[in-house]
Amino acid sequence: MSPSIDYEAPTPPYQQIAAEIIRDIESGTLAVDRPIPSESALIQRWGVARDTARRTVRHLRELGYVYTVPQRGTYVRDRSEGKYQDTQ
């Protein structure tokens, strides 16, 4: 069963997707320094527009859950003991 977005919810779609990814990070399903799903994968999995996928990744980056390596992808950030990698 693929995930669905509640367009009637007060939370925007990109935040709903980010919340799901955060749950995967916090549960260990997505490990530190491992890639998160690409924008294309988010589009396919959630059935959203590219802008929504980009906003999801940007939101996760702003919250400190991920970091992006240009032309490589976006990875789970090590949040233990305040360790942060400063790549974009």
Side-chain angles (χ1 to χ4, degrees), residues 12-15 17-19 21-22 36-39 42 49-68 73-75 77 79 87-88:
Y14 76 93
Q15 288 181 355
I17 298 168
I21 294 170
I22 289 168
I36 65 167
S38 67
E39 286 179 7
L42 294 175
R50 182 161 303 279
D51 183 59
T52 301
R54 284 186 178 146
R55 289 182 77 179
T56 300
V57 173
R58 183 177 19 187
H59 185 63
L60 289 166
R61 202 170 34 244
E62 289 168 354
L63 293 174
Y65 281 94
V66 300
Y67 64 96
T68 299
T74 301
Y75 300 84
R77 181 184 294 270
R79 295 172 49 89
T87 4
Q88 227 181 33

Side-chain angles (χ1 to χ4, degrees), residues 11-32:
T11 307
Y14 76 93
Q15 288 181 355
Q16 293 178 47
I17 298 168
E20 186 70 29
I21 294 170
I22 289 168
R23 278 192 287 275
D24 287 346
I25 291 170
E26 290 178 346
S27 73
T29 302
L30 290 172
V32 170

